[in-house]
Structures are given as C-alpha cells and as structure tokens.
Amino acid sequence: MYAASISTITGLVLIVDDTPTNLEVVSETLSDAGFDIAIATSGDRALQQVERRLPDLILLDVMMPGIDGFETCRRLKANDRTCHIPIIFMTALSDSDSKVKALELGAVDYIVKPFYEKEVLARVSTHLQLSHLTKTLASQVAQKAAELEASQLQLIQNEKMSALGNLVAGVAHEINNPIGSIVGNVNAIQDYFNDLLGIIDLYGRKLPQPDAEIEDELEAVDLNYIREDLPKLIRAMKEGGDRITSISKSLRTFSRGDSDNKLSFNLHEGIDSTILILKHRLNANEQRPAIEVVINYGDLPPVECFPGQLNQVFMNILANAIDALDEANKGCSFQENQANVNKIFVKTFVENNQIKISISDNAKGMSEEVKQKIFDHLFTTKSVGKGTGLGLAIARQIVEKTHGGKLSCNSVLGIGTEFIIEIPIS
C-alpha cells in the first residue's frame, strides 16, 4: 500500500532470516506492496537459492546459525553472478563497528530491528530504484561509448579512405598523360617501322648486290629477326599501355569522392576497381598459389548511391575473404594448398527489385556463435593490431542505414562464408 508513493519499480526480494516472525512481517509488507518474495532461513540456503534464481535485492539477517550474514554477504559479493545484487542488512546490532563492517562488505544499507514497516518498504523501494537506474545508466553509457568509438573510427576510416582516394586519384592523374602519350604513339611507331622496312625492301630490289660492308651489317643486326620480332614488341607495348590505361581508369573509379547527393553508379565498376586495388594480395606467395576470383555478373542497372562508401564495403568484405583464405592455408604445405585452390566468388543479379551482390569464399567458414557476433561493434577474430572489429559494423551501417539495403551473412563451418549485399534499385 506504500509502493505507489515511493516507486513503481518492483522485483524479486530474497528475505534471509532464521526467525519465523521476522520473515512473516517483512514478507507480508513487501508482498502487499507488489513485490515477489523468496525466503531462506539460513545463509547456506540463501546461497543455494541465488544459484537457482537471481533476486533483484536481498534482505539479510546478521545473526544466523551456520554462516552468519557477514560471511553470506562476503560470498555473494565474491561471486560474479551475484556481486551486483543490492544487499540490505537486518540487524538488532546498533553499534557503529557492525554497521561499518556491513557497508565495507558491500551492503548498500541496513535496517535495525524491530522493524518499522514503512521504513522497510521505503529502503527496499529506494535501493531497487537505484539499482535499476544504475543498470540502465551503465547500459546507456556502454552503448553511447560504443557508438562514440564507432563514430570516431568511422570518421577515421572515412579520412583514411578519403586520403587513399586522393592518393590513388593523384597517381592515376599523374600516369594518365605519359601513358596516353605512349599508347598514342605506338601506332605511329608501327607505321614508321613499316615505312622503314618498305624503304629497305626497295633498296634490296634496286641494289640486289650490296657491297661487303652492308652484307656484314645485315648479318650483324639480323634484319629478318628484327622484321619478325619488332611487330611483336610493338604489340606488347600497346597491350601494356592499354592495361595501364585500364588500371588508371579503375583507380579513378575506386577513388571517386562522394558528394552530398547520391550518384548514378555502375556497381560492377566499383567491384572491379576494388579487386584491382587488392590484386597484390591475391597473387601467389610462398605459402599458397594465387587466389582465383570467379566473377559471374548479371545485367545490373545503374544504381543511385554513394560510390565511395559502397567501394569501402566491397573492400572490407573482399579483404576479409582474403584474410580467411590465408588463415585457412596456415599449417599446410604449398602443395596441399595447391590441391585445394583458394577461390573467391563474386555474383551479381537482380531479384525482387533489389540488386544483390554475393561475395563468398571456400575458406573454413565460421561457427554459429561467431556468425552471430561479426556485425557487433569491436568484435573481431583477428589478432591484436590486425583488426578493429568495426569493419563489418561500418559496412552494415553503410548498406542498411545509408542506402536502405541489407547486409547478411551465410557461413558453414568447414566449407566457407558468403556475404550478400542488397541495394534497392529505386
């Protein structure tokens, strides 16, 4: 009958006392106020009860047979499962030493016998409310701290991506002019070479009998070999130039800066440019052969998005796939890894007005427990210094909050992992 005026927070209160009269008075008072009640007549039984069901607050008598209230409190506070439960001592002892000892052991308050019902109810309600507020505040602080850290690391990541983008764009710009000059002049070189061969052939027809000096020079330079090999060299130069031009274009695609508004973007170009950036990690090393990237692109329309952010998502997922394959290769010989070819599969298609991008690998996969945590802030399976635990959390934020899509994961332990990115078309 006093609860409404003090607090609307109720809960399970464990009353520990070896005196039936005390148990009856306190339990009736709290029960009438809407609290759930549990009773224990000794410290040992109290410890057994909390193992079965955790109370929200404990009213603990000091003088009891067996272990007394002080020892019971000490054991409760030493247990990680029960240390957070507020304990109020009930005691006929009024000396200061006993009160100080109770508080030093971790009790939040004490009630002196004989009981005054309103006081019991007020103290129980107050400390339950304080406990509730403390838990809520701790949860909010932890959540805000995680959000702040994630936000800070997101800003750092964005700055890193921006810096990388500027660097890549600068490199692409610097190589664009010289490579354009090389590619543009290769055809002219081919024409000049054909003209020179034509003149040499004309001289051969007009002067079919060259003197000894010319004969020696023709033999020394091996004109027939030059005639056969130089066109091959020119073709190789042209192919190399075209390859560099393609790389430069891919670098510019990857480094596209995001404006305040979404832009129309070909997602295949973003994926291709990301794979190019990671090419050095896909190459063979002393531990394993090259990782094969199997691409199966569907017919995708351009999508309105922030290209730089989606490239960041592609980068994170593809880099994680490479990490997973490298981890799976550890402890195996090069020949063993060669027998089980490392592969990353990239597939795109349209389904239910959604663009879907599947990126999967044939590494070891992950357990259900790990899979449930991979998108959590600060969770990582990588060793210290190799991961912040925010990559996939940020990737999900970009896909789901920024683009209104969905990022999900399928994984089978011992087989591999698949990430599916869904982006709405409209």
Side-chain angles (χ1 to χ4, degrees):
M1 61 183 182
Y2 305 107
S5 62
I6 298 174
S7 173
T8 57
I9 296 175
T10 58
L12 176 63
V13 178
L14 173 61
I15 307 170
V16 187
D17 198 315
D18 63 323
T19 305
T21 304
N22 293 340
L23 289 173
E24 183 179 351
V25 171
V26 177
S27 62
E28 184 176 346
T29 299
L30 295 177
S31 181
D32 288 346
F35 293 93
D36 294 327
I37 303 299
I39 291 174
T41 56
S42 69
D44 287 321
R45 291 186 178 180
L47 294 173
Q48 293 171 7
Q49 283 217 36
V50 296
E51 288 297 322
R52 294 192 295 268
R53 184 183 179 189
L54 290 176
D56 298 297
L57 182 141
I58 298 174
L59 285 171
L60 182 58
D61 187 23
V62 173
M63 304 303 294
M64 293 184 295
I67 62 172
D68 63 12
F70 293 137
E71 177 61 18
T72 304
C73 180
R74 189 192 65 77
R75 296 188 187 184
L76 287 168
K77 292 302 177 182
N79 187 331
D80 290 338
R81 291 186 67 245
T82 58
C83 62
H84 66 281
I85 301 172
I87 297 173
I88 300 176
F89 273 106
M90 302 183 296
T91 178
L93 301 174
S94 58
D95 62 282
S96 298
D97 290 344
S98 296
K99 295 174 183 177
V100 170
K101 182 176 181 181
L103 296 173
E104 287 178 343
L105 285 170
V108 295
D109 207 346
Y110 58 87
I111 301 171
V112 178
K113 299 177 184 179
F115 301 121
Y116 178 48
E117 294 180 9
K118 287 186 178 181
E119 180 186 7
V120 172
L121 185 58
R123 291 182 185 273
V124 168
S125 297
T126 297
H127 286 292
L128 273 175
Q129 188 174 33
L130 288 173
S131 177
H132 174 75
L133 291 173
T134 300
K135 290 177 184 177
T136 303
L137 181 60
S139 176
Q140 290 176 346
V141 168
Q143 180 181 353
K144 293 300 180 183
E147 290 176 358
L148 178 60
E149 186 165 3
S151 176
Q152 290 173 333
L153 287 174
Q154 170 75 78
L155 290 173
I156 293 171
Q157 180 73 359
N158 287 342
E159 288 298 319
K160 287 169 62 180
M161 291 298 292
S162 176
L164 175 61
N166 291 335
L167 175 63
V168 168
V171 171
H173 177 74
E174 288 300 319
I175 67 174
N176 198 46
N177 289 335
I179 199 59
S181 174
I182 293 171
V183 172
N185 289 326
V186 165
N187 290 333
I189 293 173
Q190 179 71 62
D191 293 338
Y192 294 158
F193 173 65
N194 291 335
D195 291 342
L196 289 173
L197 287 180
I199 292 173
I200 292 173
D201 291 340
L202 179 61
Y203 268 98
R205 290 194 299 272
K206 295 296 185 180
L207 301 171
Q209 297 297 327
D211 60 23
E213 184 179 356
I214 294 177
E215 286 282 3
D216 291 341
E217 190 64 23
L218 288 174
E219 184 176 351
V221 300
D222 196 349
L223 181 61
N224 288 333
Y225 177 77
I226 293 175
R227 187 189 296 272
E228 177 184 351
D229 193 54
L230 189 55
K232 296 179 182 178
L233 294 178
I234 293 174
R235 279 197 302 273
M237 290 168 60
K238 188 175 187 308
E239 290 171 359
D242 291 341
R243 173 63 177 158
I244 296 175
T245 301
S246 174
I247 291 172
S248 176
K249 180 182 177 182
S250 294
L251 290 174
R252 291 197 301 274
T253 299
F254 179 81
S255 63
R256 286 183 64 171
D258 290 332
S259 64
D260 293 335
N261 300 314
K262 292 181 179 179
L263 305 173
S264 180
F265 185 55
N266 183 337
L267 294 179
H268 289 160
E269 292 183 0
I271 298 170
D272 289 340
S273 66
T274 307
I275 293 173
L276 177 71
I277 295 294
L278 292 170
K279 180 69 176 175
H280 68 288
R281 295 199 57 201
L282 296 167
N283 293 334
N285 56 38
E286 67 279 357
Q287 188 178 14
R288 57 157 176 79
I291 297 173
E292 181 181 347
V293 180
V294 181
I295 293 177
N296 181 11
Y297 284 161
D299 185 15
L300 300 186
V303 63
E304 296 294 318
C305 66
F306 296 102
Q309 293 189 38
L310 286 184
N311 284 344
Q312 184 178 342
V313 174
F314 301 147
M315 171 72 77
N316 182 271
I317 294 176
L318 286 165
N320 278 347
I322 296 172
D323 288 340
L325 289 167
D326 283 340
E327 185 66 27
N329 291 157
K330 286 183 178 178
C332 300
S333 66
F334 188 93
Q335 289 71 25
E336 289 172 327
N337 291 328
Q338 192 173 31
N340 184 25
V341 179
N342 295 315
K343 292 184 179 181
I344 295 175
F345 304 87
V346 181
K347 181 180 179 181
T348 65
F349 55 98
V350 175
E351 184 178 271
N352 299 327
N353 207 38
Q354 300 272 328
I355 289 177
K356 294 193 175 183
I357 304 162
S358 166
I359 302 175
S360 59
D361 61 65
N362 62 343
K364 290 183 177 180
M366 64 185 82
S367 67
E368 189 64 28
E369 181 183 2
V370 171
K371 193 177 79 170
Q372 295 300 322
K373 297 179 180 178
I374 57 172
F375 294 111
D376 292 350
H377 291 297
L378 307 181
F379 176 79
T380 180
T381 59
K382 298 176 183 177
S383 57
V384 176
K386 292 189 176 181
T388 63
L390 282 166
L392 288 175
I394 292 173
R396 172 171 271 185
Q397 180 178 316
I398 291 171
V399 173
E400 298 187 356
K401 292 187 177 180
T402 306
H403 291 87
K406 182 180 179 182
L407 177 59
S408 55
C409 173
N410 301 314
S411 187
V412 179
L413 196 61
I415 295 179
T417 299
E418 176 189 34
F419 286 92
I420 300 174
I421 304 165
E422 299 179 42
I423 303 292
I425 291 178
S426 56

PDB file of all heavy atoms in Angstrom, residues 32 40 50-51 214 232 242 246 248 273 297 312 330 335 386 423:
ATOM      1  N   ASP A  32       2.372  -7.233   0.021  1.00  0.00           N
ATOM      2  CA  ASP A  32       1.233  -6.330  -0.144  1.00  0.00           C
ATOM      3  C   ASP A  32       1.567  -5.161  -1.061  1.00  0.00           C
ATOM      4  O   ASP A  32       0.679  -4.589  -1.701  1.00  0.00           O
ATOM      5  CB  ASP A  32       0.797  -5.791   1.227  1.00  0.00           C
ATOM      6  CG  ASP A  32       0.104  -6.856   2.082  1.00  0.00           C
ATOM      7  OD1 ASP A  32      -0.268  -7.903   1.507  1.00  0.00           O
ATOM      8  OD2 ASP A  32      -0.027  -6.642   3.308  1.00  0.00           O
ATOM      9  N   ALA A  40      14.637 -17.598   2.709  1.00  0.00           N
ATOM     10  CA  ALA A  40      15.671 -18.552   3.110  1.00  0.00           C
ATOM     11  C   ALA A  40      15.901 -18.385   4.604  1.00  0.00           C
ATOM     12  O   ALA A  40      15.918 -17.255   5.121  1.00  0.00           O
ATOM     13  CB  ALA A  40      16.963 -18.318   2.342  1.00  0.00           C
ATOM     14  N   VAL A  50      20.074 -18.416  -4.648  1.00  0.00           N
ATOM     15  CA  VAL A  50      20.508 -17.466  -5.688  1.00  0.00           C
ATOM     16  C   VAL A  50      21.156 -18.175  -6.874  1.00  0.00           C
ATOM     17  O   VAL A  50      21.224 -17.620  -7.970  1.00  0.00           O
ATOM     18  CB  VAL A  50      21.494 -16.410  -5.111  1.00  0.00           C
ATOM     19  CG1 VAL A  50      20.810 -15.551  -4.069  1.00  0.00           C
ATOM     20  CG2 VAL A  50      22.756 -17.062  -4.555  1.00  0.00           C
ATOM     21  N   GLU A  51      21.631 -19.393  -6.666  1.00  0.00           N
ATOM     22  CA  GLU A  51      22.167 -20.164  -7.778  1.00  0.00           C
ATOM     23  C   GLU A  51      21.051 -20.594  -8.724  1.00  0.00           C
ATOM     24  O   GLU A  51      21.244 -20.716  -9.934  1.00  0.00           O
ATOM     25  CB  GLU A  51      22.927 -21.396  -7.270  1.00  0.00           C
ATOM     26  CG  GLU A  51      24.265 -21.084  -6.620  1.00  0.00           C
ATOM     27  CD  GLU A  51      25.236 -20.445  -7.603  1.00  0.00           C
ATOM     28  OE1 GLU A  51      25.250 -20.857  -8.790  1.00  0.00           O
ATOM     29  OE2 GLU A  51      25.953 -19.523  -7.194  1.00  0.00           O
ATOM     30  N   ILE A 214      77.806  -3.654 -96.259  1.00  0.00           N
ATOM     31  CA  ILE A 214      76.363  -3.748 -95.996  1.00  0.00           C
ATOM     32  C   ILE A 214      75.978  -5.181 -95.649  1.00  0.00           C
ATOM     33  O   ILE A 214      75.179  -5.428 -94.737  1.00  0.00           O
ATOM     34  CB  ILE A 214      75.564  -3.247 -97.218  1.00  0.00           C
ATOM     35  CG1 ILE A 214      75.797  -1.743 -97.417  1.00  0.00           C
ATOM     36  CG2 ILE A 214      74.072  -3.542 -97.042  1.00  0.00           C
ATOM     37  CD1 ILE A 214      75.120  -1.171 -98.642  1.00  0.00           C
ATOM     38  N   LYS A 232      56.050  -7.809 -82.775  1.00  0.00           N
ATOM     39  CA  LYS A 232      55.608  -8.429 -81.518  1.00  0.00           C
ATOM     40  C   LYS A 232      55.860  -7.494 -80.327  1.00  0.00           C
ATOM     41  O   LYS A 232      55.026  -7.364 -79.434  1.00  0.00           O
ATOM     42  CB  LYS A 232      56.332  -9.751 -81.300  1.00  0.00           C
ATOM     43  CG  LYS A 232      56.021 -10.821 -82.341  1.00  0.00           C
ATOM     44  CD  LYS A 232      56.822 -12.093 -82.053  1.00  0.00           C
ATOM     45  CE  LYS A 232      56.561 -13.158 -83.125  1.00  0.00           C
ATOM     46  NZ  LYS A 232      57.372 -14.371 -82.884  1.00  0.00           N
ATOM     47  N   ASP A 242      47.593  -0.308 -72.901  1.00  0.00           N
ATOM     48  CA  ASP A 242      46.140  -0.444 -72.705  1.00  0.00           C
ATOM     49  C   ASP A 242      45.831  -0.939 -71.297  1.00  0.00           C
ATOM     50  O   ASP A 242      44.847  -0.510 -70.674  1.00  0.00           O
ATOM     51  CB  ASP A 242      45.555  -1.415 -73.734  1.00  0.00           C
ATOM     52  CG  ASP A 242      45.574  -0.854 -75.154  1.00  0.00           C
ATOM     53  OD1 ASP A 242      45.688   0.379 -75.287  1.00  0.00           O
ATOM     54  OD2 ASP A 242      45.477  -1.651 -76.111  1.00  0.00           O
ATOM     55  N   SER A 246      43.688   0.907 -68.467  1.00  0.00           N
ATOM     56  CA  SER A 246      42.583   0.267 -67.758  1.00  0.00           C
ATOM     57  C   SER A 246      42.757   0.385 -66.248  1.00  0.00           C
ATOM     58  O   SER A 246      41.796   0.658 -65.511  1.00  0.00           O
ATOM     59  CB  SER A 246      42.503  -1.214 -68.165  1.00  0.00           C
ATOM     60  OG  SER A 246      41.534  -1.892 -67.407  1.00  0.00           O
ATOM     61  N   SER A 248      44.454   2.717 -64.656  1.00  0.00           N
ATOM     62  CA  SER A 248      44.246   4.118 -64.309  1.00  0.00           C
ATOM     63  C   SER A 248      42.755   4.426 -64.210  1.00  0.00           C
ATOM     64  O   SER A 248      42.302   5.113 -63.275  1.00  0.00           O
ATOM     65  CB  SER A 248      44.896   5.019 -65.359  1.00  0.00           C
ATOM     66  OG  SER A 248      44.634   6.374 -65.088  1.00  0.00           O
ATOM     67  N   SER A 273      37.208  -2.309 -59.665  1.00  0.00           N
ATOM     68  CA  SER A 273      38.282  -1.429 -59.193  1.00  0.00           C
ATOM     69  C   SER A 273      38.797  -1.877 -57.829  1.00  0.00           C
ATOM     70  O   SER A 273      39.996  -1.798 -57.550  1.00  0.00           O
ATOM     71  CB  SER A 273      37.785   0.020 -59.123  1.00  0.00           C
ATOM     72  OG  SER A 273      36.777   0.166 -58.139  1.00  0.00           O
ATOM     73  N   TYR A 297      28.778 -11.898 -63.381  1.00  0.00           N
ATOM     74  CA  TYR A 297      27.988 -10.677 -63.324  1.00  0.00           C
ATOM     75  C   TYR A 297      26.667 -10.844 -64.064  1.00  0.00           C
ATOM     76  O   TYR A 297      26.625 -11.355 -65.189  1.00  0.00           O
ATOM     77  CB  TYR A 297      28.753  -9.519 -63.967  1.00  0.00           C
ATOM     78  CG  TYR A 297      29.872  -8.949 -63.124  1.00  0.00           C
ATOM     79  CD1 TYR A 297      30.893  -8.193 -63.703  1.00  0.00           C
ATOM     80  CD2 TYR A 297      29.898  -9.129 -61.746  1.00  0.00           C
ATOM     81  CE1 TYR A 297      31.911  -7.646 -62.940  1.00  0.00           C
ATOM     82  CE2 TYR A 297      30.915  -8.589 -60.971  1.00  0.00           C
ATOM     83  CZ  TYR A 297      31.917  -7.856 -61.572  1.00  0.00           C
ATOM     84  OH  TYR A 297      32.929  -7.322 -60.806  1.00  0.00           O
ATOM     85  N   GLN A 312      33.996   1.048 -50.239  1.00  0.00           N
ATOM     86  CA  GLN A 312      34.548   0.721 -48.925  1.00  0.00           C
ATOM     87  C   GLN A 312      33.976  -0.604 -48.428  1.00  0.00           C
ATOM     88  O   GLN A 312      34.696  -1.421 -47.829  1.00  0.00           O
ATOM     89  CB  GLN A 312      34.213   1.841 -47.945  1.00  0.00           C
ATOM     90  CG  GLN A 312      34.818   1.681 -46.558  1.00  0.00           C
ATOM     91  CD  GLN A 312      34.484   2.853 -45.647  1.00  0.00           C
ATOM     92  OE1 GLN A 312      34.098   3.915 -46.111  1.00  0.00           O
ATOM     93  NE2 GLN A 312      34.640   2.661 -44.356  1.00  0.00           N
ATOM     94  N   LYS A 330      47.178 -21.664 -43.343  1.00  0.00           N
ATOM     95  CA  LYS A 330      48.236 -21.817 -42.354  1.00  0.00           C
ATOM     96  C   LYS A 330      48.365 -23.272 -41.915  1.00  0.00           C
ATOM     97  O   LYS A 330      47.371 -23.963 -41.731  1.00  0.00           O
ATOM     98  CB  LYS A 330      47.956 -20.925 -41.138  1.00  0.00           C
ATOM     99  CG  LYS A 330      48.192 -19.447 -41.384  1.00  0.00           C
ATOM    100  CD  LYS A 330      47.958 -18.636 -40.119  1.00  0.00           C
ATOM    101  CE  LYS A 330      48.238 -17.152 -40.355  1.00  0.00           C
ATOM    102  NZ  LYS A 330      47.969 -16.350 -39.136  1.00  0.00           N
ATOM    103  N   GLN A 335      52.031 -27.442 -51.575  1.00  0.00           N
ATOM    104  CA  GLN A 335      51.411 -28.470 -52.413  1.00  0.00           C
ATOM    105  C   GLN A 335      49.991 -28.779 -51.942  1.00  0.00           C
ATOM    106  O   GLN A 335      49.083 -28.974 -52.766  1.00  0.00           O
ATOM    107  CB  GLN A 335      52.255 -29.754 -52.402  1.00  0.00           C
ATOM    108  CG  GLN A 335      53.582 -29.660 -53.144  1.00  0.00           C
ATOM    109  CD  GLN A 335      54.608 -28.781 -52.417  1.00  0.00           C
ATOM    110  OE1 GLN A 335      54.534 -28.623 -51.195  1.00  0.00           O
ATOM    111  NE2 GLN A 335      55.550 -28.229 -53.173  1.00  0.00           N
ATOM    112  N   LYS A 386      45.594  -6.319 -36.058  1.00  0.00           N
ATOM    113  CA  LYS A 386      45.185  -6.682 -37.410  1.00  0.00           C
ATOM    114  C   LYS A 386      43.719  -6.395 -37.685  1.00  0.00           C
ATOM    115  O   LYS A 386      43.238  -6.630 -38.780  1.00  0.00           O
ATOM    116  CB  LYS A 386      45.476  -8.165 -37.671  1.00  0.00           C
ATOM    117  CG  LYS A 386      46.963  -8.480 -37.724  1.00  0.00           C
ATOM    118  CD  LYS A 386      47.206  -9.897 -38.201  1.00  0.00           C
ATOM    119  CE  LYS A 386      48.696 -10.181 -38.346  1.00  0.00           C
ATOM    120  NZ  LYS A 386      48.958 -11.563 -38.843  1.00  0.00           N
ATOM    121  N   ILE A 423      20.863  -3.896 -52.405  1.00  0.00           N
ATOM    122  CA  ILE A 423      20.661  -2.462 -52.586  1.00  0.00           C
ATOM    123  C   ILE A 423      19.375  -2.253 -53.383  1.00  0.00           C
ATOM    124  O   ILE A 423      19.238  -2.831 -54.479  1.00  0.00           O
ATOM    125  CB  ILE A 423      21.846  -1.818 -53.337  1.00  0.00           C
ATOM    126  CG1 ILE A 423      23.162  -2.082 -52.597  1.00  0.00           C
ATOM    127  CG2 ILE A 423      21.607  -0.323 -53.517  1.00  0.00           C
ATOM    128  CD1 ILE A 423      23.284  -1.386 -51.271  1.00  0.00           C
TER     129      ILE A 423
END
